[in-house]
Amino acid sequence: YGTVSVLYWNQMAAKTPKLFNKWSFEEVKVADLSLQEYITTTPVAVPHSGGRFQKRRFYKARCPVVERMCNGLMFKMRGNGRKLQAVRLMKHTLEIIHLMTEQNPVQVIVDAVSKGGPREDSTRVGSGGVVRRQAVDVSPLRRVNEAIYMMCKGARESAFRNLKTMPECLADEIMNAAKGSSNSYAIKKKDEIERSAKANR
């Protein structure tokens, strides 16, 4: 009996978890070299770790990227702090992405996050009343943060007062961002920010 149970537990231990028991993390690759440290694709079963990622600076980079998307959804009054609701929306979103693209939805999210953030931005420089804008490079962590924020914001705005549900809008946003299409709110904003930064070089 003891040997059988040990074998059983060894088999169980060898299994890497799949997201929602369905989506594998094994083939997921981050194409952008500079973002590999900041887009975490650690295998998790549910994007709800209860990890305290805000306790230390830069610690949130270790948070799985799907969970960060869920956290990005928990904004704006009704949705505030409802993580189970955000996880449920994310589950439906992944299903829709898979139906539309027939790819691993986790890979699509990773591509969208790596393409959605601006690479160049402008900041205000000056003292004594003379203020001008100066173009600066954006750090990898901020690129990831901005991409997640923009995608969630775009999906939220398009779902508001619309027959389309939140998962449908979020899936559209993520798929468009992964393709680099300007139908995506995040890509549109990214192009706008980069254009104004180029003018301020």
Side-chain angles (χ1 to χ4, degrees):
Y1 173 74
T3 319
V4 172
S5 63
V6 166
L7 281 170
Y8 173 74
W9 283 113
N10 284 348
Q11 282 175 341
M12 291 300 286
K15 274 188 175 178
T16 53
K18 291 182 175 182
L19 186 61
F20 298 119
N21 248 348
K22 196 166 186 183
W23 313 115
S24 168
F25 285 88
E26 282 175 10
E27 299 298 315
V28 176
K29 297 271 189 300
V30 182
D32 196 323
L33 265 176
S34 61
L35 300 179
Q36 280 177 358
E37 296 290 309
Y38 297 93
I39 296 178
T40 307
T41 54
T42 314
V44 286
V46 268
H48 193 318
S49 63
R52 297 196 270 288
F53 292 106
Q54 292 295 333
K55 287 289 177 189
R56 232 179 318 150
R57 196 178 178 198
F58 303 125
Y59 200 55
K60 64 180 174 182
R62 294 189 192 179
C63 182
V65 68
V66 182
E67 186 171 347
R68 292 201 65 191
M69 286 290 287
C70 289
N71 293 345
L73 293 172
M74 293 195 296
F75 268 79
K76 286 289 185 198
M77 299 167 299
R78 291 154 303 168
N80 213 343
R82 297 187 183 177
K83 188 145 183 184
L84 293 177
Q85 176 179 296
V87 169
R88 194 183 71 238
L89 293 176
M90 183 52 69
K91 187 176 182 178
H92 294 325
T93 302
L94 294 173
E95 294 284 356
I96 293 167
I97 291 173
H98 179 65
L99 280 173
M100 300 287 278
T101 61
E102 294 188 353
Q103 291 173 287
N104 183 348
V106 181
Q107 181 65 62
V108 178
I109 287 180
V110 167
D111 292 345
V113 170
S114 53
K115 286 178 188 173
R119 291 159 296 187
E120 193 180 20
D121 203 345
S122 46
T123 182
R124 292 175 59 165
V125 174
S127 58
V130 183
V131 176
R132 66 187 190 83
R133 297 181 75 78
Q134 172 67 41
V136 289
D137 293 335
V138 181
S139 72
L141 182 62
R142 181 161 168 80
R143 278 173 62 187
V144 172
N145 296 349
E146 282 278 292
I148 290 170
Y149 170 73
M150 291 293 189
M151 284 194 286
C152 293
K153 187 178 180 185
R156 196 179 305 116
E157 284 180 11
S158 63
F160 187 59
R161 290 189 178 171
N162 192 348
L163 282 173
K164 264 186 158 180
T165 60
M166 183 66 186
E168 285 170 6
C169 292
L170 186 59
D172 280 348
E173 178 67 37
I174 289 169
M175 286 186 293
N176 284 330
K179 282 186 285 193
S181 158
S182 58
N183 292 340
S184 155
Y185 178 89
I187 298 287
K188 213 178 293 174
K189 280 282 181 193
K190 170 193 173 180
D191 292 343
E192 193 182 304
I193 290 167
E194 286 182 352
R195 205 179 307 119
S196 76
K198 194 175 179 182
N200 292 317
R201 274 180 190 164

